[in-house]
Amino acid sequence: MNDTEDIEDIEDSGSSGEEESTPRSWFYRDRDVADAKRKAMYQRHKDRPSIKKINEELGLSDDLYPVMASLEEMDAVLEDGGTFSDIFKTLVYSDAMESALAFLLLVEEKSNTQVKSPEQLLKLAKLGKKAEKDVTSAYYEACEFKYQLALEKILRDGGKYKDLLGLNPEAYGLPDEGEDERKTHVETAIVLYYGFIETAVFRPSVRDVAEELEAPYEVILKASKCMDAKKDTDEIYKDF
């Protein structure tokens, strides 16, 4: 089977005269097509050294879609005769850590060098002194993204709160940070993994999550509120 067959199967399957046509069916159809495209992209990139390495470390497979999508855009710029400077100016966004990680991986691939500092990234990409501040920011965004992915893997694998705290951010290129900052990273990972967001239709029980992670109840309660809009009452979320 080639990379696109699974997409075509979804798009072409079924009789148009008999196929259900409701908002619900449209939602599931769109979701299935999107999932197939993600898997097809992963098949195209799974043997790419940078993707293979990060996948082996974090076990993400097609969940690396945003990074792979950014890499494809960056590859196209180089194929058209562009430079790292062109890519950095147009495709690395301050609000999208996946683009920063893609840029870091691309530079490492092309230079056959593991980048260990923003200064090294600046030099290998030949971006010039004026870009130093932005390159430094992008480098640490890429490192933070890898760290967050590693925290997510711990949660997926059934790890506990102590395991999250035990993960060293320095192993992912981040500078040494205090205990409070590390706890903030961990709380963010918990919020995103369990869906403690204001717009979530179904929010998990704070107590259940605390018991599952063997974490202090107060820590999970605080994390569950951090993305809520401020309200007049102190009790934003009740745990039943």
Side-chain angles (χ1 to χ4, degrees):
M1 177 181 290
N2 62 39
D3 291 345
T4 58
E5 281 181 353
D6 50 353
I7 300 174
E8 292 169 352
D9 288 344
I10 292 171
E11 293 177 338
D12 297 336
S13 62
S15 167
S16 59
E18 299 177 359
E19 186 175 346
E20 180 186 16
S21 182
T22 65
R24 184 181 180 85
S25 70
W26 301 337
F27 168 79
Y28 284 114
R29 183 180 178 86
D30 290 345
R31 183 197 62 182
D32 289 344
V33 170
D35 286 347
K37 288 181 178 178
R38 287 164 64 97
K39 291 175 181 177
M41 179 171 283
Y42 175 65
Q43 289 300 315
R44 293 197 297 273
H45 291 278
K46 66 179 182 178
D47 294 323
R48 185 170 187 156
S50 58
I51 295 299
K52 188 174 183 179
K53 179 182 177 183
I54 199 169
N55 185 40
E56 288 174 350
E57 292 175 353
L58 303 175
L60 296 173
S61 65
D62 60 300
D63 289 331
L64 279 169
Y65 170 78
V67 177
M68 292 184 287
S70 291
L71 277 170
E72 286 196 346
E73 291 182 320
M74 295 176 185
D75 287 340
V77 173
L78 293 182
E79 289 169 4
D80 288 341
T83 65
F84 285 138
S85 179
D86 297 324
I87 291 172
F88 191 77
K89 290 176 182 176
T90 60
L91 295 176
V92 179
Y93 310 106
S94 60
D95 59 347
M97 289 191 291
E98 62 270 16
S99 67
L101 178 55
F103 183 74
L104 175 63
L105 295 176
L106 184 66
V107 172
E108 288 183 332
E109 279 186 0
K110 298 302 182 182
S111 64
N112 196 28
T113 303
Q114 183 179 356
V115 176
K116 297 183 178 180
S117 70
E119 294 80 14
Q120 188 181 17
L121 179 60
L122 184 72
K123 181 178 179 180
L124 290 172
K126 300 178 181 178
L127 295 178
K129 197 70 174 177
K130 290 183 179 180
E132 184 174 8
K133 181 179 179 180
D134 290 336
V135 169
T136 298
S137 177
Y139 174 79
Y140 286 119
E141 283 180 359
C143 294
E144 183 174 350
F145 190 42
K146 286 194 290 184
Y147 176 48
Q148 286 294 334
L149 292 174
L151 289 171
E152 181 187 333
K153 184 178 187 300
I154 290 175
L155 289 167
R156 286 202 318 272
D157 292 346
K160 306 302 180 184
Y161 182 64
K162 63 180 178 62
D163 301 315
L164 296 170
L165 289 178
L167 187 66
N168 186 359
E170 292 181 72
Y172 298 89
L174 290 171
D176 186 24
E177 56 185 22
E179 183 179 352
D180 289 343
E181 191 169 353
R182 185 178 298 197
K183 285 182 177 179
T184 298
H185 281 300
V186 168
E187 288 172 9
T188 299
I190 292 171
V191 166
L192 297 176
Y193 183 77
Y194 285 98
F196 285 122
I197 54 177
E198 185 185 10
T199 56
V201 177
F202 300 105
R203 293 171 58 139
S205 161
V206 171
R207 192 170 302 282
D208 287 349
V209 172
E211 290 177 356
E212 181 176 315
L213 295 179
E214 298 177 2
Y217 175 84
E218 295 76 12
V219 169
I220 306 304
L221 181 63
K222 177 187 174 185
S224 75
K225 295 180 179 181
C226 73
M227 295 186 73
D228 284 337
K230 291 184 178 179
K231 299 182 181 180
D232 293 333
T233 177
D234 290 335
E235 192 172 11
I236 298 175
Y237 176 69
K238 286 187 176 181
D239 181 39
F240 296 99

